[in-house]
């Protein structure tokens, strides 16, 4: 028995999957102030008393981090940067307690300017005086050489051993210093909160005799263990849309190209599955308005949902972008697309008379209400179409840095629209026919997100940068010596990265999925100085990408 | 404010040869630097994917021998297409200005292309200029070539065009490839003064180059009043460049671009891949996007580098005086040329292709038209190292051509076709009607270049 729970902004969905069949599911309003109570209630609704021991896996996706960052109820932290040459470092200022230090490392990990130890001590003193307990230390190119971050951290630690310090190279090994600074800082200010939440969830679950591993959904469409999430809480942001995409993936399980349309109350989230592979965002998730190193699926959130307000402005119908409350049929204050759907499709929701009255308020002639409802659906579909096409275009036009990538230009040919969320049944067939492709909706669409969480497998990604001239390689926040292999070839570097990935996978308890690894980046450059080759630089990326757990062959629809 | 457009195309899978300066590694560290800076995440920057220049785009500017396909590989088309993409984005009003950070380069490619010279097969800026005119009807364009090497290809292509102002400053041709670019090279008879060359003494740094900019380039540009300014942005004036001997710094490049404020910059040369390019490219992007660059410096930056020697400054001042006079006298010089009452102007040219080891001889004939820049005929003989020879005849009609030049040029093309035993290929490039033909003498077949 597998349990998946998706804690959304408005609703929390849960499913129980057994032998490829959804045996129970439920939907409940989310109590944002008391998430653990909502989760507790959903678990109790899903699992008959005493059946906890039968649970083999439990997966959770939650908006907690997004909410925390949005409401700003976080602990204070200082951000200390070592920017070296480049952009004006003072424009990055994302913390009130922001300090710019001397120092500098270049792209090959060479020290350009040493740090100034007394400046570091002075900075530590200021941080302490400001009553701050947490310090993020982030240097430009620290992933190529972490020594300056380490020196600064160790000086601060020696001065004030009680300070909680997090170094940038431990958070991300990818290029992009501002994203590393943002990710490190947000990790630092959310991880205590998250850890407390994780403790409570664990207590709730264990109290029900569930001994199965607890996993948390990540923005990239994969999962990680609850324990791993304590180190990297930011990766749980946007796990809702990721769960929906994986839900669509689990429902279809083929290598077609689909757009996934997850229609919620306030927004509709669009994402893509390209020839059977969920599409990732090229820039990483945006948290608090800033790009981060959190790998995420490419999701476009359109301010258009079942509860968006319908208006008529200058003779034209507008939907959203705001939501004033529930749909009129559920006692809400304004007509919404849900009301329009209700009138067109059998008047099954809430009090259909309320839907009718709200819609009638927009037109003078009551005989025109049905026309209005149809026009609302058309406008809804128009808006989705435009956004889907823009998303496809922007993916096709994403920058590429090799001749063959430009010559073999990307083209999206959409096979299918997959619907997730309650209003999907009405919108998706019409949207699909407009887009000239197949539509896909099932009775499980309403809980597709929770289904996605329950079957998503763990993911892991690793990039490795090796420089034979310096004899080092960097990966996962560490710089190590290259083994002595004589003339190092690409295959040696690939083997090395597999070894590193295997180690990480074992550490994270996901060794079962090591065999699913794939290389997504293989670059090799000869370093030529004075017309002879004096070294080689390799960039290799290896991943266990999003997919479904072992043994899952599809779900009975 | 609108963003700055950026096409970054490092061609990580293309090299002239494994150890050639024009190799995969060239923009590797630039990639590392601009990605680590996260500059593409800023709202001031919009990144574009390059398009591929078509045969027609290339044929509008060049006579590629025997065909466009033979001279322009996919890599060349993408590099050139990067410039076209920036031009499109600019003309659509999406960006305030743009930088095509692309390789391979192009500014040594001339109108006739038998092969690669100075690392270039086709001329990215020139193709972009002809594209802008054809597609967007832009008339007056200024190209400022800031590469350390004389932009001899671009100069040759616009030699007879008074609507393109070409200014190149570079290390003195007596001390560096391609050995041209002296103050007496001022354009064809009907476009005199619209080509200006500033041969700088070796060792010139920020102070000297910015002096040339302030006292010559900017005043001339102001008077010329172009619709667009293009920076042919080579980066080999840098003090660490291995192929030249100048002392320009990354901050100097940024300052130059701030003052010049080009609408479009296109990367040309620059082969100090580790110590210069990452910093200069950052500097150009930052300056064009209006981003503060006071914290940008090379690892071994020394403010003393910017200082010019007194002797150097004197030479620079003398050169500027000569060129100011040429610029002042330009109308008179053109008038004199028209008044010679000669029907045609002829010159012999010798062109060496260093990369491909081709020796080309040209006889260029220009109709001294009283009303337009005149049509041009080039009889070109290329001798390859293998002993192979290729003789072609090229007829080019400028986009501003008068009806008489269009008629005469067409008649001339037909006449040469009849005497097909002398040439391998005959070309007609009619920019005024955007029509490009290639005639194969051996098979007597004519092809429309599409």
């Amino acid at each position: 028995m597998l349990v998946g729970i998706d804690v959304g902004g408005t609703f929390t969905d849960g499913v129980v999957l057994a032998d490829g069949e959804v045996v129970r599911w439920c939907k409940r309003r989310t109590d944002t102030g008391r998430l653990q109570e909502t989760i507790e209630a959903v678990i109790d609704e899903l699992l008959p008393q005493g059946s906890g021991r039968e649970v083999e896996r439990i997966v959770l996706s939650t908006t907690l981090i997004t909410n925390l960052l949005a409401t700003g109820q976080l602990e204070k932290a200082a951000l200390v940067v070592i920017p070296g040459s480049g952009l004006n470092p003072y424009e990055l200022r994302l913390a009130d307690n922001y300090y710019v230090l001397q120092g500098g490392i270049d792209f090959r990990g060479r020290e350009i300017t040493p740090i100034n130890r007394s400046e570091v001590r002075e900075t530590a003193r200021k941080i302490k005086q400001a009553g701050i307990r947490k310090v993020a230390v982030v240097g430009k190119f620290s992933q190529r050489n972490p020594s300056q971050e380490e020196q600064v951290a160790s000086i601060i630690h020696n001065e004030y051993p009680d300070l909680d310090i997090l170094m940038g190279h431990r958070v991300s090994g990818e290029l992009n210093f501002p994203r590393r600074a943002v990710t490190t800082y947000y990790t630092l200010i959310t991880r205590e909160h998250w850890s407390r939440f994780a403790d409570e969830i664990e207590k709730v679950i264990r109290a029900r005799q569930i001994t199965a591993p607890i996993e948390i959904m990540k923005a990239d469409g994969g999962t990680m263990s609850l324990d791993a999430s304590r180190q990297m809480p930011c990766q749980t942001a946007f796990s809702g849309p990721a769960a929906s995409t994986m839900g669509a993936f689990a429902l279809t399980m083929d290598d077609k190209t689909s757009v996934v349309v997850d229609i919620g109350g306030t927004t509709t989230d669009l994402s893509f599955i390209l020839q059977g592979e969920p599409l990732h965002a090229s820039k990483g998730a945006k948290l608090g308005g800033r790009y981060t190193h959190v790998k995420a699926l490419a999701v476009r959130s359109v301010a258009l949902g079942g509860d968006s307000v319908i208006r008529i402005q200058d003779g034209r119908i507008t939907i959203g972008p705001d939501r004033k409350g529930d749909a009129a049929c559920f006692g809400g204050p304004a007509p919404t697309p849900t009301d329009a759907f209700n009138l067109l499709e059998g008047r099954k929701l809430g009090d259909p008379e309320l839907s009718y009255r709200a819609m009638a308020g927009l037109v003078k002639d009551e005989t025109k209400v049905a026309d209005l409802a149809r026009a609302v659906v058309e406008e809804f579909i128009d808006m989705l179409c435009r956004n889907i096409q823009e998303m496809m275009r922007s993916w096709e036009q994403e920058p590429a840095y090799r001749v063959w990538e430009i010559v073999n230009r990307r083209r999206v040919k959409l096979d299918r629209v997959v619907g997730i969320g309650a209003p999907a049944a009405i919108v998706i067939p019409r949207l699909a026919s407009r887009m000239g492709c197949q539509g896909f909706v099932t009775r499980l669409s309403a809980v597709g997100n929770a289904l996605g969480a329950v079957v998503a497998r763990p993911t892991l990604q690793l990039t490795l940068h090796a420089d034979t001239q310096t004899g080092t390689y960097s990966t996962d926040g560490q710089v190590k010596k290259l083994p002595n292999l004589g003339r190092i070839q690409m295959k040696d570097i690939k083997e090395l990265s597999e070894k590193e990935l295997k180690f990480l996978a074992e550490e994270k308890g996901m060794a079962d999925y090591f065999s699913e690894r794939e290389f997504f980046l293989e670059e090799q450059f000869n370093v030529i100085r004075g017309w002879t080759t004096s070294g080689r630089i390799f960039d290799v990326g290896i991943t266990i990408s999003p997919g479904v757990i072992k043994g899952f062959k599809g779900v009975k629809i | 404010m609108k963003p700055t457009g950026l096409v970054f195309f490092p061609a990580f899978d293309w090299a002239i040869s494994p150890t050639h300066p024009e190799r995969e590694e060239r923009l590797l560290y630039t990639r590392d630097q601009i990605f680590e800076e996260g500059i593409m995440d800023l709202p001031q920057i919009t990144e574009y994917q390059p398009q591929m220049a078509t045969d027609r785009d290339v044929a509008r500017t060049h006579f590629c021998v025997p065909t466009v396909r033979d001279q322009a590989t996919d890599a060349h088309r993408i590099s050139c297409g990067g410039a076209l993409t920036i031009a499109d984005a600019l003309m659509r009003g999406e960006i305030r200005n743009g930088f095509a950070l692309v390789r391979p380069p192009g500014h040594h490619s001339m109108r006739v292309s038998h092969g690669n010279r100075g690392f270039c097969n086709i001329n990215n800026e020139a193709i972009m200029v002809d594209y802008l005119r054809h597609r967007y009807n832009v008339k007056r364009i200024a190209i400022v070539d800031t590469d350390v090497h004389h932009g001899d290809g671009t100069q040759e292509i616009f030699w007879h065009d008074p609507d393109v102002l070409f200014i190149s400053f570079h290390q003195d041709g007596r001390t560096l490839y391609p050995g041209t670019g002296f103050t007496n090279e001022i354009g064809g008879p009907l476009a005199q003064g619209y080509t200006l060359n500033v041969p700088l003494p070796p060792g010139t740094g920020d102070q000297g180059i910015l002096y040339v900019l302030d006292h010559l380039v900017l005043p001339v540009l102001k008077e010329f009043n172009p619709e667009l300014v293009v920076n042919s942005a080579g980066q080999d004036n840098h003090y660490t460049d291995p192929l030249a001997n100048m002392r320009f710094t990354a901050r100097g490049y940024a300052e130059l671009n701030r003052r010049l404020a080009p609408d479009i910059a296109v990367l040309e040369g620059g082969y100090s891949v580790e110590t210069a390019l990452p910093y200069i490219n950052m500097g150009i992007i930052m300056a064009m996007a209006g981003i503060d660059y006071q914290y940008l410096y090379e690892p071994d930056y020394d403010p003393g580098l910017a200082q010019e020697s007194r002797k150097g400054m004197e030479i620079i001042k003398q050169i500027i005086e000569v060129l100011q006079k040429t610029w002042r006298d330009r109308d008179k010089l053109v008038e004199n040329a028209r008044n010679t009452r000669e029907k045609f102007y002829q010159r012999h040219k010798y062109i060496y292709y260093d990369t491909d080891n081709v020796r080309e001889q040209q006889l260029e004939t220009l109709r001294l038209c009283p009303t337009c820049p005149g049509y041009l005929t080039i009889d070109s003989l290329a001798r390859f190292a293998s002993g192979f020879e290729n003789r072609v005849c090229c007829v080019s009609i400028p986009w501003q051509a008068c009806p008489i030049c269009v008629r005469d040029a067409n008649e001339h093309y037909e006449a040469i076709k009849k005497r097909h035993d002398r040439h391998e290929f005959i070309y007609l490039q009619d920019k005024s009607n955007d029509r490009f033909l290639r005639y194969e003498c051996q098979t007597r077949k004519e092809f429309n270049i599409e």
Side-chain angles (χ1 to χ4, degrees):
Chain A
M1 210 157 67
L2 310 171
V3 177
I5 298 170
D6 174 62
V7 185
T10 324
F11 287 104
T12 296
D13 299 327
V15 298
V16 178
L17 190 75
D19 302 322
E21 201 172 333
V22 172
V23 291
R24 286 179 81 90
W25 56 280
C26 71
K27 200 181 232 349
R28 243 171 202 280
R29 234 169 229 293
T30 303
D31 183 347
T32 319
R34 286 186 292 249
L35 286 186
Q36 56 277 18
E37 284 174 28
T38 306
I39 294 167
E40 207 167 355
V42 167
I43 294 177
D44 287 339
E45 197 175 335
L46 288 175
L47 296 177
Q49 233 172 6
S51 63
R53 288 186 199 287
E54 293 164 41
V55 176
E56 298 151 80
R57 181 183 199 231
I58 179 161
V59 187
L60 224 73
S61 83
T62 143
T63 54
L64 178 67
I65 287 296
T66 326
N67 294 348
L68 280 178
L69 289 173
T71 52
Q73 300 159 336
L74 296 156
E75 220 178 318
K76 257 178 141 183
L79 176 59
V80 176
V81 296
I82 318 163
S85 167
L87 290 172
N88 181 344
Y90 294 95
E91 306 212 333
L92 181 66
R93 174 184 290 274
L94 57 99
D96 291 337
N97 299 88
Y98 181 72
Y99 304 94
V100 177
L101 296 186
Q102 289 172 40
I105 302 282
D106 82 352
F107 37 83
R108 293 190 75 186
R110 293 170 294 214
E111 181 169 88
I112 299 302
T113 318
I115 60 157
N116 176 342
R117 304 182 77 85
S118 63
E119 184 193 48
V120 181
R121 277 193 294 270
E122 181 55 30
T123 303
R125 201 156 26 248
K126 285 185 197 156
I127 292 169
K128 187 73 185 171
Q129 276 165 8
I132 291 167
R133 292 179 38 239
K134 293 170 179 293
V135 188
V137 179
V138 188
K140 199 175 285 175
F141 288 115
S142 65
Q143 77 281 41
R144 299 270 164 97
N145 177 355
S147 66
Q148 292 194 338
E149 278 183 4
E150 283 161 352
Q151 288 171 54
V152 169
S154 109
I155 295 169
I156 297 175
H157 178 75
N158 285 341
E159 296 286 309
Y160 305 103
D162 56 327
L163 290 179
D164 181 12
I165 304 170
L166 182 60
M167 291 179 283
H169 73 274
R170 300 301 300 164
V171 173
S172 176
E174 309 278 313
L175 287 170
N176 200 316
F177 164 67
R179 288 189 212 170
R180 191 159 53 249
V182 170
T183 318
T184 308
Y185 178 70
Y186 283 167
T187 302
L188 190 63
I189 60 177
T190 55
R191 67 178 179 186
E192 250 182 51
H193 244 97
W194 176 266
S195 240
R196 274 202 300 276
F197 172 74
D199 290 344
E200 286 167 18
I201 293 302
E202 201 166 8
K203 223 169 17 187
V204 164
I205 292 172
R206 298 296 177 228
R208 282 157 182 77
Q209 280 79 50
I210 301 172
T211 52
I214 305 167
E215 300 202 42
I216 301 289
M217 193 77 198
K218 297 190 293 180
D220 73 350
T223 66
M224 61 180 160
S225 68
L226 186 67
D227 267 345
S229 76
R230 294 171 198 267
Q231 296 308 312
M232 300 287 165
C234 290
Q235 294 195 1
T236 67
F238 305 110
S239 55
S244 294
T245 311
M246 293 314 292
F249 182 83
L251 286 168
T252 54
M253 293 283 280
D254 56 27
D255 54 7
K256 287 192 173 157
T257 293
S258 309
V259 58
V260 181
V261 181
D262 179 2
I263 308 168
T266 323
T267 58
T268 296
D269 292 332
L270 303 173
S271 61
F272 279 104
I273 299 175
L274 296 175
Q275 294 170 335
E277 293 192 19
L279 175 67
H280 285 94
S282 57
K283 284 193 168 176
K286 230 176 176 176
L287 288 176
R290 294 171 188 265
Y291 287 111
T292 64
H293 275 305
V294 174
K295 197 168 163 56
L297 297 183
V299 177
R300 175 183 282 223
S301 220
V302 186
L304 174 73
D307 300 341
S308 301
V309 178
I310 301 173
R311 295 185 181 85
I312 295 190
Q313 287 172 332
D314 307 322
R316 286 196 53 236
I317 296 169
T318 64
I319 311 175
D322 52 330
R323 172 186 188 270
K324 282 195 172 163
D326 287 339
C329 58
F330 296 114
T336 66
T338 300
D339 295 304
F341 302 152
N342 201 16
L343 296 180
L344 293 177
E345 303 277 326
R347 298 174 160 245
K348 288 176 201 145
L349 307 173
D351 179 353
E353 200 42 42
L354 290 175
S355 288
Y356 184 83
R357 255 185 273 154
M359 294 289 283
L362 291 174
V363 284
K364 291 190 190 103
D365 181 355
E366 288 215 0
T367 61
K368 295 271 164 63
V369 173
D371 289 345
L372 174 66
R374 273 189 288 274
V376 166
V377 175
E378 282 306 300
E379 175 61 20
F380 199 96
I381 287 167
D382 267 353
M383 287 174 76
L384 290 181
C385 260
R386 272 202 302 280
N387 278 284
I388 292 169
Q389 274 154 358
E390 268 174 39
M391 247 184 119
M392 280 162 51
R393 217 172 14 248
S394 85
W395 181 76
E396 285 173 348
Q397 287 167 7
E398 217 144 77
Y401 306 120
R402 292 173 172 270
V403 173
W404 74 263
E405 289 173 305
I406 305 284
V407 174
N408 304 296
R409 204 173 270 275
R410 300 161 152 186
R411 285 273 173 268
V412 187
K413 212 199 139 291
L414 210 54
D415 299 314
R416 189 168 50 200
V417 181
V418 181
I420 300 289
I426 293 160
V427 175
I428 297 306
R430 290 180 166 91
L431 178 61
S433 91
R434 176 82 66 84
M435 305 224 48
C437 62
Q438 202 189 329
F440 185 96
V441 197
T442 81
R443 67 183 175 96
L444 296 176
S445 287
V447 286
N449 41 1
L451 178 68
V454 83
V455 299
R457 75 182 181 200
T459 51
L460 192 55
Q461 197 184 7
L462 180 140
T463 54
L464 188 148
H465 175 87
D467 187 331
T468 67
Q469 210 176 18
T470 58
T472 59
Y473 71 98
S474 51
T475 188
D476 189 40
Q478 290 169 64
V479 174
K480 301 177 188 173
K481 276 210 151 43
L482 276 169
N484 194 0
L485 294 168
R487 197 178 140 88
I488 292 180
Q489 309 280 350
M490 180 53 102
K491 73 167 185 22
D492 305 317
I493 299 299
K494 285 173 74 174
E495 278 170 20
L496 194 61
S497 62
E498 285 179 314
K499 223 171 84 188
E500 292 281 350
L501 185 81
K502 188 162 188 207
F503 177 79
L504 261 181
E506 279 165 2
E507 198 183 59
K508 292 183 190 288
M510 48 182 288
D512 284 357
Y513 293 96
F514 177 67
S515 58
E516 306 287 335
R517 68 194 178 277
E518 300 166 77
F519 287 94
F520 65 91
L521 173 71
E522 290 176 43
E523 283 181 351
Q524 174 182 335
F525 299 91
N526 291 329
V527 178
I528 311 286
R529 296 297 171 265
W531 305 91
T532 57
T533 307
S534 58
R536 282 173 171 196
I537 289 176
F538 299 89
D539 280 302
V540 168
I542 183 168
T543 176
I544 299 169
S545 55
V548 292
I549 47 172
K550 283 227 158 95
F552 179 78
K553 297 277 184 304
V555 62
K556 197 172 151 204
I557 293 166
Chain B
M1 188 148 47
K2 285 179 191 167
T4 290
L6 183 66
V7 167
F8 177 56
F9 185 69
F12 282 153
D13 50 355
W14 183 87
I16 289 181
S17 70
T19 58
H20 196 280
E22 201 49 78
R23 64 178 179 273
E24 297 90 339
E25 187 195 1
R26 188 173 160 219
L27 292 175
L28 171 63
Y29 312 109
T30 294
R31 189 266 317 253
D32 284 355
Q33 188 73 34
I34 63 180
F35 282 24
E36 176 70 356
E37 294 286 358
I39 199 160
M40 317 274 211
D41 290 357
L42 296 177
Q44 294 99 314
I45 307 287
T46 300
E47 196 184 0
Y48 289 87
Q49 187 195 70
Q51 57 190 283
M52 284 182 83
T54 63
D55 281 12
R56 218 176 158 68
D57 294 331
V58 179
R60 195 176 289 120
T61 300
H62 289 288
F63 297 103
C64 288
V65 184
T67 68
V68 172
R69 203 146 300 171
D70 293 299
Q71 295 305 334
T73 65
D74 288 340
H76 295 105
R77 286 169 196 264
I78 298 167
S79 180
C80 176
L84 303 186
T85 295
I86 291 294
D88 282 333
L90 182 74
M91 299 313 290
R92 281 199 305 263
E94 291 169 13
I95 55 176
R96 67 195 284 228
N97 55 23
F99 183 19
L101 213 176
V102 296
R103 59 179 283 267
H107 76 147
H108 294 306
S109 288
M110 300 191 175
R111 209 186 279 258
V112 181
S113 179
H114 288 280
N116 186 302
R117 64 186 300 277
F119 313 169
C120 309
N121 281 70
I122 58 170
N123 192 311
N124 300 335
E125 287 96 1
I127 291 170
M128 181 183 76
V129 165
D130 282 328
Y131 179 85
L132 278 163
R133 290 169 144 184
H134 164 66
R135 199 141 182 197
Y136 301 101
N137 214 15
V138 179
K139 190 174 177 228
R140 288 163 82 76
I141 296 177
I143 303 173
V144 181
D145 189 312
T146 57
D147 192 280
V148 78
H149 303 94
H150 176 223
D152 55 348
T154 316
Q155 165 171 308
E156 195 260 0
I157 291 170
F158 298 110
W159 186 251
H160 296 295
D161 190 337
D163 290 314
V164 172
L165 170 65
F166 176 74
I167 306 176
S168 176
F169 53 81
H170 42 261
Q171 185 175 326
D172 192 319
R174 289 172 295 184
T175 60
L176 192 68
Y177 179 88
T180 52
F182 299 101
T183 50
N184 61 351
E185 297 165 36
I186 60 169
L190 302 186
Q192 290 177 85
Y194 293 94
T195 294
L196 295 174
N197 282 293
V198 190
L200 297 166
T204 304
D206 293 4
Q207 196 194 354
I209 290 179
L210 294 174
Y211 188 89
V212 171
L213 189 76
D214 289 345
H215 293 86
L216 177 75
V217 179
L218 293 180
V220 166
L221 278 180
K222 193 162 178 241
E223 209 178 315
F224 180 68
N225 193 23
E227 291 162 70
L228 289 176
V229 176
V230 177
N231 179 5
S232 190
Q235 312 192 339
D236 31 16
N237 282 301
H238 194 261
Y239 64 90
T240 62
D241 195 87
L243 308 182
N245 320 86
M246 304 292 259
R247 284 191 304 127
F248 212 28
T249 69
R251 222 179 282 180
Y253 269 100
E255 186 58 26
L256 170 100
N257 279 280
R258 188 184 69 79
R259 295 189 200 178
L260 181 63
D263 298 286
I264 299 175
V266 181
L267 175 64
E268 285 297 339
Y271 300 94
S272 175
V273 299
E274 279 199 70
T275 44
L277 265 58
Y279 306 100
I280 299 173
N281 281 312
M282 273 296 290
I284 294 177
I285 297 169
M286 289 161 91
M288 289 184 76
I291 296 168
D292 174 13
Y293 48 79
Q294 61 169 316
Y295 293 90
L296 178 74
Y297 51 85
E298 298 88 336
D300 57 348
Y301 175 72
D302 169 6
L305 283 167
Q307 285 301 315
E308 216 58 65
S309 73
R310 208 165 39 188
K311 186 155 166 270
M313 273 319 273
E314 270 169 33
I315 298 173
I316 289 169
K317 284 178 182 166
Q318 281 165 14
I319 295 168
I320 289 176
E321 262 177 51
V322 171
L323 293 171
Q324 280 167 337
K325 182 167 170 7
T326 304
W327 176 247
R328 266 199 313 274
D329 295 346
R330 66 194 186 282
D331 292 343
K332 209 161 62 198
L333 293 166
V334 171
E335 204 184 307
N336 290 344
R338 281 219 163 86
N339 289 341
T340 55
R341 302 194 176 276
E342 298 279 345
K343 281 212 171 101
F344 291 94
Y345 158 86
Q346 282 199 322
R347 67 168 174 161
H348 286 276
K349 280 190 292 182
Y350 171 77
I351 298 156
Y352 180 58
Y353 295 66
D354 60 330
T355 316
D356 280 348
N357 198 2
V358 182
R359 287 152 218 275
E360 182 192 6
Q361 276 176 304
Q362 287 188 359
L363 174 62
E364 189 185 274
T365 308
L366 178 80
R367 175 166 185 259
L368 288 175
C369 177
T371 54
C372 79
Y375 80 87
L376 186 76
T377 309
I378 300 170
D379 196 329
S380 154
L381 173 67
R383 292 195 173 88
F384 290 74
S386 62
F388 174 73
E389 289 190 356
N390 215 353
R391 185 168 170 194
V392 300
C393 188
C394 314
V395 180
S396 176
I397 303 170
W399 66 282
Q400 315 95 317
C402 67
I404 298 165
C405 277
V406 175
R407 186 200 63 200
D408 287 4
N410 272 286
E411 282 175 10
H412 186 55
Y413 169 71
E414 293 300 330
I416 319 166
K417 269 166 65 183
K418 294 209 177 78
R419 292 176 311 189
H420 45 74
D421 54 324
R422 305 214 329 231
H423 298 100
E424 305 296 326
F425 300 96
I426 300 163
Y427 302 88
L428 178 70
Q429 177 187 62
D430 183 353
K431 298 191 197 190
S432 67
N433 292 302
D434 212 50
R435 179 167 160 261
F436 312 106
L437 303 175
R438 172 169 57 91
Y439 182 75
E440 264 183 33
C441 296
Q442 209 178 8
T443 59
R444 302 196 189 175
K445 273 190 188 150
E446 188 170 76
F447 299 89
N448 208 338
I449 304 174
E450 287 298 343

